[in-house]
Amino acid sequence: VPMGVLSCMKYLMFIFNVLVFVGGTCLVGVGVWVAVDPAGFQDIVAAKPVLSAGAYLLLAVGIALSLLGFLGCCGALRRSRPLLLV
């Protein structure tokens, strides 16, 4: 396999993992916003228990995606197979 292909794959994996990390961070932000100020979202979701459960679900998924994106970025930069497999 030519060296240029490996270098391109490394950068593509890094960019993909950065996008996953940014998406997870945005989900965490929205989850915190809904948990702290649910009044703005009560028009969208009528039941309050559903709203609070949704906020915590957004937080959990966002934290998981951010962690996976960060580990993927580290794995892509260091060419670490175990980090990329996570």
Side-chain angles (χ1 to χ4, degrees), residues 29-56:
V30 170
V32 168
W33 183 20
V34 172
V36 171
D37 183 27
F41 290 94
Q42 285 180 352
D43 296 334
I44 299 170
V45 181
K48 185 144 174 86
V50 172
L51 185 64
S52 63
Y56 294 121

Side-chain angles (χ1 to χ4, degrees), residues 21 62-72:
F21 178 76
I63 289 171
L65 282 176
S66 295
L67 182 64
L68 287 175
F70 178 75
L71 291 176

